[in-house]
Amino acid sequence: MITRVLLGLAGLAGLAWGGVLVYELVDRSFDEGIAIGTWFVAGPVVHDLLVAPVVAVVGVLVTRVLPAPFRAPVAVGAGLTALLALLAFPLLWRLDPAPVNPGLHDGDYPMALAVMIAVVWLGVLVSCLLARWRLSRRREDLS
Amino acid sequence: MRFSFPVKENSFRSAAHDERVTARIGMWLGIAFTVCFVTGLLSHAIQHPPSWFFWPSRPVWLYQVTQGLHVIAGVASIPLLVAKLWSVYPKLFGRPVVRSAAHALERASILVLSGAAFFELVTGLFNVAQNYPFQFFFPPAHYAVAWVLAGSIVVHVAVKLPVIRRALGEKVDAEPPERGTLSRRGFLRSTWLASGVAVVATAGATVPLLRKVSGLSWRAGDDPQGLPVNRTAFAAGVHDSARDPAWRLEIGGRSFTRAELEAMPQITADLPIACVEGWSESATWTGVPVADVLRAAGLSIDTDVRVISLERNSLYAVSTLPAEHVADPLTLLALRVNGETLNLDHGFPCRIIAPNRPGVLQTKWVHRLEVVK
């Protein structure tokens, strides 16, 4: 219990200091404060109302549509695809043009993303074939 | 989960929604965030040193490692955070919404925790891509919210400690799921896999071994003289002043032409440039130790030195070399890189390259050195 109380107090102290730092930013520029607040709230809102429901729906579809041995590889493949797209997003989409900095953020990202997603789904395909082969061998053993 | 409305806490049947899964992912997320927080505080202190702070000039690669870890741990946290939140998502539908004052406080603290976590990861990911869709200055906001995140994680651990202990004490079985797609162990392994994929896809920015496979690394492409440029001479507005034949290095009432600097004894050293944005690249630098320039100007080397660039109106046009770095013979006023004369974008006529410092403090287009009393 003492551990929990001490941890709790340390956490509250950290939170308070963070609050002071955030307050200083808001105090210096109210507009910046509004922008920080918006981005702060946007994360949980977008996640809880959009990302998680989409994950749930995809999960249900995967279980309804696919035979059991294929479900896990396809679900993992879908997750990895979304992850790679997320990582690529700031490199692919910009409000303002990127600063001209030779050697930075100037790779062929659409191609890289396509290749990585292709590798993921190749892995999914191999996993599915393996799962089917294992299943059919088990059936042969039984018969 | 069945499509039935309203959605309830027990609508979710996947094995992922189990405290044994939550606690294990939470533990690794906590470790990753701790790495981010500690390395971030370090980087902040190096750039804004409090009076008690000391940062050595050796080993030369230390900052490269700490800042590389900062960004890699951040990238690895992205799938961990999403998996963690998916694991506890059903709790969002728990009823009643508020059971007691303590429960209300706990829910509010979790909202702060997830808001801060997303804020840090999303702004960090955009920042390494030098993409700024947000209307605030990144470094102080990322720093302030880091404290909010650290504090709310510690509070969360304090609140959940009995659950964490219980959940980590139980084994995670691999029984095939009754419903859903993955077993508990399968969900955990998929999460670790996703973190690994995220790291491999990006870490080539600082890990040379991964350069060829990290397709989504923000450090890419061919760079002039084997080194990326983080601000061109054109962007810095020094395109003309840096090429002016009248350029002199001014220091304590003395001034040196580039030819005079070239005539002094030269040191050649392999040193990395390690950017706060997580990329790094080693190069072979040739130039005059800053300490030798100070001595040639008749000044003591036991002092901090302010480095002033030709660049105007930039936050990074001035840097301060701590005495520790001034005294290090590897702290160079570099004239050449990788066997060639420094080109304009890399800081011609001369630039600072010091061991174990953030790239943003390796001031280019140096115009004046000032002793700080």
Side-chain angles (χ1 to χ4, degrees):
Chain A
M1 194 63 204
I2 289 176
T3 318
R4 292 178 71 194
V5 170
L6 289 178
L7 268 179
L9 289 175
L12 288 175
L15 260 174
W17 179 236
V20 169
L21 292 173
V22 171
Y23 173 77
E24 282 175 3
L25 293 178
V26 177
D27 193 43
R28 200 163 53 203
S29 159
F30 188 69
D31 289 346
E32 276 202 24
I34 293 284
I36 291 171
T38 308
W39 281 76
F40 193 99
V41 175
V45 169
V46 171
H47 174 269
D48 291 352
L49 299 184
L50 186 70
V51 177
V54 167
V55 171
V57 169
V58 170
V60 170
L61 286 180
V62 164
T63 47
R64 292 253 173 105
V65 174
L66 292 173
F70 296 171
R71 286 173 195 165
V74 169
V76 173
L80 290 179
T81 303
L83 172 66
L84 290 169
L86 181 74
L87 291 174
F89 185 71
L91 294 162
L92 294 173
W93 172 88
R94 286 171 192 275
L95 276 180
D96 300 313
V100 183
N101 283 333
L104 297 178
H105 49 69
D106 53 2
D108 185 356
Y109 298 117
M111 176 56 93
L113 181 61
V115 169
M116 287 183 165
I117 290 176
V119 170
V120 165
W121 285 96
L122 200 67
V124 171
L125 188 70
V126 170
S127 304
C128 286
L129 291 176
L130 270 177
R132 201 172 71 171
W133 177 70
R134 254 189 241 126
L135 201 69
S136 64
R137 218 178 49 167
R138 207 174 303 152
R139 285 206 187 108
E140 274 170 26
D141 287 349
L142 287 176
S143 62
Chain B
M1 181 188 168
R2 308 226 315 262
F3 284 116
S4 58
F5 292 94
V7 175
K8 295 193 204 78
E9 188 171 355
N10 62 8
S11 306
F12 297 83
R13 309 279 180 78
S14 156
H17 312 300
D18 181 287
E19 67 181 30
R20 284 166 283 184
V21 173
T22 312
R24 279 166 178 81
I25 298 175
M27 185 179 76
W28 283 104
L29 187 59
I31 290 170
F33 276 160
T34 304
V35 170
C36 287
F37 187 59
V38 171
T39 53
L41 286 186
L42 202 56
S43 183
H44 182 85
I46 296 168
Q47 293 177 69
H48 310 277
S51 54
W52 50 264
F53 184 74
F54 172 78
W55 182 245
S57 63
R58 305 290 175 93
V60 301
W61 43 260
L62 189 57
Y63 183 76
Q64 181 181 27
V65 169
T66 63
Q67 197 59 12
L69 276 176
H70 182 79
V71 174
I72 290 173
V75 166
S77 302
I78 294 171
L80 293 178
L81 176 65
V82 176
K84 171 79 163 62
L85 289 176
W86 176 242
S87 180
V88 295
Y89 188 57
K91 292 185 194 298
L92 194 63
F93 302 92
R95 294 295 177 270
V97 175
V98 171
R99 282 196 301 267
S100 62
H103 184 235
L105 218 58
E106 190 201 328
R107 290 198 85 153
S109 80
I110 288 171
L111 184 66
V112 172
L113 172 52
S114 88
F118 276 116
F119 185 93
E120 291 298 273
L121 295 183
V122 170
T123 57
L125 191 63
F126 272 100
N127 185 66
V128 293
Q130 301 190 329
N131 187 348
Y132 310 104
F134 30 77
Q135 270 69 53
F136 50 83
F137 185 45
F138 170 78
H142 196 68
Y143 177 69
V145 176
W147 279 99
V148 175
L149 178 56
S152 54
I153 289 174
V154 176
V155 169
H156 185 61
V157 171
V159 171
K160 295 289 185 189
L161 205 55
V163 183
I164 296 170
R165 284 207 178 114
R166 178 178 71 215
L168 290 180
E170 286 173 47
K171 281 210 174 106
V172 177
D173 50 56
E175 69 192 46
E178 228 171 279
R179 291 163 194 271
T181 51
L182 289 163
S183 64
R184 283 186 274 273
R185 190 181 287 174
F187 186 79
L188 283 174
R189 286 189 175 162
S190 306
T191 305
W192 313 147
L193 173 71
S195 267
V197 166
V199 168
V200 169
T202 55
T206 186
V207 182
L209 214 63
L210 291 173
R211 190 144 293 166
K212 289 274 183 281
V213 287
S214 286
L216 301 179
S217 159
W218 40 97
R219 155 85 177 83
D222 296 317
D223 10 75
Q225 301 188 312
L227 197 67
V229 172
N230 210 352
R231 189 164 171 81
T232 61
F234 186 78
V238 299
H239 208 261
D240 296 324
S241 54
R243 288 185 301 178
D244 188 344
W247 174 89
R248 297 286 184 277
L249 175 76
E250 294 171 12
I251 171 169
R254 287 278 320 264
S255 68
F256 298 88
T257 63
R258 204 187 126 99
E260 284 170 332
L261 292 172
E262 277 170 355
M264 295 170 74
Q266 306 284 302
I267 294 259
T268 295
D270 287 334
L271 293 173
I273 286 215
C275 185
V276 289
E277 281 146 12
W279 61 264
S280 69
E281 182 67 69
S282 284
T284 306
W285 303 89
T286 302
V288 191
V290 168
D292 288 358
V293 181
L294 288 173
R295 285 195 200 96
L299 299 168
S300 153
I301 64 162
D302 190 20
T303 170
D304 293 0
V305 169
R306 191 174 296 128
V307 180
I308 298 153
S309 171
L310 289 170
E311 193 180 356
R312 301 266 172 264
N313 306 324
S314 160
L315 212 55
Y316 303 110
V318 177
S319 66
T320 302
L321 276 170
E324 168 78 6
H325 286 75
V326 173
D328 192 313
L330 289 188
T331 298
L332 303 180
L333 211 49
L335 304 170
R336 301 170 68 78
V337 62
N338 291 333
E340 295 172 26
T341 296
L342 212 56
N343 77 15
L344 207 52
D345 284 339
H346 284 317
F348 180 89
C350 68
R351 76 171 299 167
I352 291 292
I353 180 81
N356 196 26
R357 296 206 87 196
V360 72
L361 302 178
Q362 311 277 28
T363 307
K364 301 198 276 192
W365 312 293
V366 175
H367 167 52
R368 203 162 75 234
L369 299 178
E370 283 175 2
V371 165
V372 183
K373 295 286 180 224

